[in-house]
């Protein structure tokens, strides 16, 4: 018996994708992060950021918590704030799927939706759209004297994955993984897991997954800043948590590959996850066919397919 939903965060199952990899040399193991209470891996960082702020005195009872979110961190924060009694304001782009704002509101959050830039496409949040959300977030934080749970800056984001997600994968595999690939938003998941993996065994190879056409981290020209893979690929080249020494390579996936792979995950493996999970598995399949033949590759299934019922992810 757990005292609250907060303690139900983490310790997600790890599943081998043996149907998707049939006929291929090697294995893919997927961590079902969509089984967290808020249906995404971001519950982990919400808990970590709030508990670290409480511990250092930056957050005390009654203070409002504000976050710029693509929805998942906000959902995690809504859960943690509901349990711990903090008012919570989520600021997000109108370009994110409607399930996200409705879920946060249901969990007691105040949701502020920010218009996309003229010409931006609903469902495709660009770096420019995000800059608008950033300005509105700053304004609300000032106005309310709030604590900003800033996932791009607070080390709790990195630590949640370095102290929990990564070590859980190592424990679940007996430490026997050869590689990890991860679609980066803040890069907190990539960097935290990579740090844990490399501390265990420096030979574990870690790959950043990026959307084709918006692969700035690997230094490619940007031809398609707007894409459907929500939660990352924001065309930001200076990510605080990304330690380039831990990057062994970059993999680009198209949104079509991410979508087709998410659909295959659902149909063949019974795993109902979102766009970025499809991107992670598509990247791992590519690596298995190519430079990582015969390896065991770990990936995260970042969030639930339920968060995209209103999008064209599902037919
Ligand atoms: C669905 C989804 N996938 C991937 C990411 C990227 O994770 P990270 O910020 O740890 O790089 C996020 C981040 O919000 C997300 O919501």
């Amino acid at each position: 018996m757990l005292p609250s939903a907060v303690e139900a965060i983490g310790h997600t199952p790890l599943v081998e994708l043996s149907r998707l990899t049939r006929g291929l040399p090697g294995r893919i193991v997927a961590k079902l992060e969509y089984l967290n209470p808020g249906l995404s891996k971001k519950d982990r960082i919400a808990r970590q950021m709030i508990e670290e702020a409480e511990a250092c005195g930056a957050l005390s009872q009654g203070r409002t918590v504000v976050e710029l979110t693509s929805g998942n961190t906000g959902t995690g924060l809504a859960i943690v704030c509901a349990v711990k009694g903090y008012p919570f304001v989520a600021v997000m782009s109108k370009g994110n799927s409607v399930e996200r704002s409705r879920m946060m509101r249901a969990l007691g959050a105040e949701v502020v939706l920010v218009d996309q830039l003229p010409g931006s496409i609903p469902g495709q949040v660009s770096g420019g759209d995000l800059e608008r959300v950033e300005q509105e977030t700053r304004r609300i934080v000032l106005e309310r004297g709030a604590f900003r749970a800033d996932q791009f800056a607070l080390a709790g984001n990195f630590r949640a994955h370095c102290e929990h997600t990564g070590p859980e994968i190592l424990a679940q595999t007996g430490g026997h993984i050869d590689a990890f690939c991860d679609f980066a938003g803040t890069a907190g998941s990539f960097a935290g897991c990579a740090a844990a993996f490399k501390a265990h065994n420096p030979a574990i190879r870690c790959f950043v997954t990026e959307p084709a056409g918006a692969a700035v981290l690997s230094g490619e020209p940007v031809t398609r800043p707007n894409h459907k893979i929500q939660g990352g690929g924001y065309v930001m080249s200076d990510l605080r948590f990304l330690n380039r020494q831990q990057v062994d390579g970059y993999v680009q996936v198209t949104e079509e590959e991410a979508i087709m792979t998410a659909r295959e995950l659902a149909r063949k493996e019974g795993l109902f996850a979102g766009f970025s999970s499809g991107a992670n598995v598509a990247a791992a399949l590519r690596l298995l066919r190519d430079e990582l033949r015969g390896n065991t590759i770990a990936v995260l299934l970042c969030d639930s397919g339920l968060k995209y019922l209103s999008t064209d992810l599902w037919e």
Side-chain angles (χ1 to χ4, degrees):
M1 167 93 78
L2 300 170
S4 80
V6 172
E7 286 75 19
I9 294 170
H11 298 290
T12 51
L14 190 75
V15 170
E16 183 174 352
L17 307 183
S18 42
R19 286 142 206 88
L20 278 189
T21 55
R22 193 165 286 150
L24 284 176
R27 298 198 305 160
I28 299 175
V29 293
K31 194 141 171 72
L32 308 194
E33 288 299 295
Y34 65 79
L35 292 180
N36 279 298
L39 314 183
S40 93
K41 65 180 180 176
K42 291 290 183 165
D43 289 4
R44 294 175 181 270
I45 77 162
R47 175 185 188 175
Q48 191 95 11
M49 290 190 298
I50 293 298
E51 292 188 345
E52 288 187 4
E54 287 176 327
C56 75
L59 184 59
S60 51
Q61 272 312 314
R63 194 161 181 207
T64 297
V65 175
V66 174
E67 169 60 333
L68 180 166
T69 180
S70 64
N72 281 332
T73 307
T75 301
L77 284 165
I79 290 168
V80 175
C81 289
V83 169
K84 291 177 177 278
Y86 299 107
F88 173 58
V89 183
V91 192
M92 70 184 268
S93 168
K94 274 191 189 159
N96 290 119
S97 61
V98 68
E99 290 86 341
R100 296 172 179 236
S101 51
R102 295 184 88 176
M103 187 170 175
M104 284 190 282
R105 284 202 180 105
L107 289 163
E110 178 184 337
V111 180
V112 177
L113 291 177
V114 180
D115 285 329
Q116 291 184 274
L117 289 173
S120 285
I121 303 161
Q124 301 180 21
V125 178
S126 68
D129 292 330
L130 212 62
E131 186 45 43
R132 269 202 166 178
V133 187
E134 170 66 30
Q135 278 162 18
E136 181 62 4
T137 306
R138 286 194 190 153
R139 195 189 64 72
I140 294 172
V141 168
L142 268 182
E143 185 181 271
R144 310 209 187 176
F147 169 74
R148 179 161 180 190
D150 186 350
Q151 58 175 326
F152 283 91
L154 294 182
N157 178 356
F158 168 84
R159 274 197 284 265
H161 299 293
C162 184
E163 293 175 9
H164 300 288
T165 321
E168 285 173 27
I169 292 173
L170 290 172
Q172 287 165 312
T173 56
H176 297 304
I177 58 166
D178 304 299
F180 170 63
C181 61
D182 193 49
F183 179 75
T186 63
S189 310
F190 174 84
C193 289
F197 295 154
K198 292 206 182 263
H200 168 74
N201 175 4
I204 295 175
R205 301 180 69 196
C206 297
F207 293 79
V208 169
T209 304
E210 294 192 277
V216 284
L217 297 172
S218 51
E220 296 291 324
V222 177
T223 54
R224 221 173 145 208
N226 293 349
H227 58 82
K228 294 180 184 170
I229 312 175
Q230 294 184 34
Y234 293 128
V235 198
M236 294 160 73
S237 51
D238 55 342
L239 295 172
R240 179 174 299 199
F241 303 121
L242 193 64
N243 172 356
R244 300 290 183 148
Q245 285 173 342
Q246 289 175 335
V247 183
D248 295 291
Y250 299 86
V251 190
Q252 289 178 34
V253 296
T254 63
E255 62 187 23
E256 291 78 17
E257 281 176 289
I259 290 169
M260 293 319 292
T261 311
R263 290 179 182 168
E264 294 250 286
L265 262 175
R267 264 197 300 263
K268 294 191 175 160
E269 300 282 359
L271 300 170
F272 194 55
F275 288 97
S276 64
S277 307
N280 283 341
V281 175
L285 285 167
R286 172 100 50 80
L287 288 167
L288 268 196
R289 286 193 189 101
D290 192 8
E291 61 185 291
L292 298 187
R293 290 175 70 81
N295 281 200
T296 296
I297 306 177
V299 294
L300 306 180
L301 300 192
C302 309
D303 70 354
S304 171
L306 289 173
K307 300 203 177 204
Y308 306 96
L309 287 179
S310 68
T311 73
D312 64 359
L313 179 54
W314 310 117
E315 291 152 311

